[in-house]
Amino acid sequence: MERFIVGRQFLVVLIVFILNMMGSAVADATVLGMSDVMAEIFLATGVAMILTTIMIGQLTAQINAANCMLDFINNYFMLFSTYVSLFIELSGLLHSVYLVQIIFSKITGKPFESNEPPRTGLQNVFFWARVIFSLGLLTLSFAVTLKALFDGKTT
């Protein structure tokens, strides 16, 4: 279950970013004759997009899933979503999260509890290879972000 959740969280973040990019306001936009102050508050600061993202992208599905769990997951789209989440987890894209989990477990002295059986030698090699791959992607992404920030190539 833990593995599915990591992939699912990535999909949620991806959907929020896509919604935000698709719905961001155009410069000097006027909506429904709003005053400049109201347009500045809602459009320029992104408050309108935050509310739209929460209402359309997250809240509706969350309430639906909480009230009608079996009906919500008993369809082909949710099956597809589950397999995509599990594939993202299998790819190792987000395995740096597990390294952070292991580090915090060591720092706090609280042992990490899992319902999964201990990994075999080959599984251990595969796990740590995906952790290194994930850390490499994270480092590259951080370097590209810093370069864009220092070059002033942000929106």
Side-chain angles (χ1 to χ4, degrees), residues 63-136:
I63 290 171
N64 232 354
N67 288 336
C68 313
M69 271 187 246
L70 293 177
D71 294 334
F72 186 73
I73 62 172
N74 192 19
N75 60 54
Y76 289 113
F77 179 74
M78 291 308 293
L79 181 64
F80 172 74
S81 174
T82 301
Y83 284 132
V84 169
S85 298
L86 289 171
F87 175 75
I88 289 170
E89 175 57 34
L90 178 70
S91 73
L93 184 67
L94 306 170
H95 265 58
S96 57
V97 171
Y98 297 118
L99 181 62
V100 172
Q101 180 184 34
I102 291 168
I103 290 170
F104 275 105
S105 175
K106 300 279 188 204
I107 289 171
T108 60
K110 184 178 177 187
F112 171 68
E113 298 174 10
S114 176
N115 293 334
E116 296 179 6
R119 290 187 294 269
T120 63
L122 185 60
Q123 288 174 332
N124 235 352
V125 168
F126 189 55
F127 173 79
W128 286 106
R130 289 184 292 175
V131 168
I132 291 169
F133 169 71
S134 178
L135 283 174

Side-chain angles (χ1 to χ4, degrees), residues 7-97:
R8 186 188 146 279
Q9 285 303 108
F10 176 76
L11 288 179
V12 168
V13 170
L14 180 68
I15 288 169
V16 168
F17 272 101
I18 289 173
L19 271 174
N20 198 17
M21 289 173 59
M22 287 175 24
S24 57
V26 179
D28 300 325
T30 57
V31 178
L32 302 173
M34 284 178 152
S35 67
D36 290 339
V37 173
M38 291 300 285
E40 182 70 26
I41 291 171
F42 283 103
L43 298 179
T45 61
V47 171
M49 201 58 235
I50 291 169
L51 294 173
T52 304
T53 301
I54 290 170
M55 287 186 279
I56 294 174
Q58 292 179 313
L59 193 59
T60 309
Q62 203 167 2
I63 290 171
N64 232 354
N67 288 336
C68 313
M69 271 187 246
L70 293 177
D71 294 334
F72 186 73
I73 62 172
N74 192 19
N75 60 54
Y76 289 113
F77 179 74
M78 291 308 293
L79 181 64
F80 172 74
S81 174
T82 301
Y83 284 132
V84 169
S85 298
L86 289 171
F87 175 75
I88 289 170
E89 175 57 34
L90 178 70
S91 73
L93 184 67
L94 306 170
H95 265 58
S96 57
V97 171

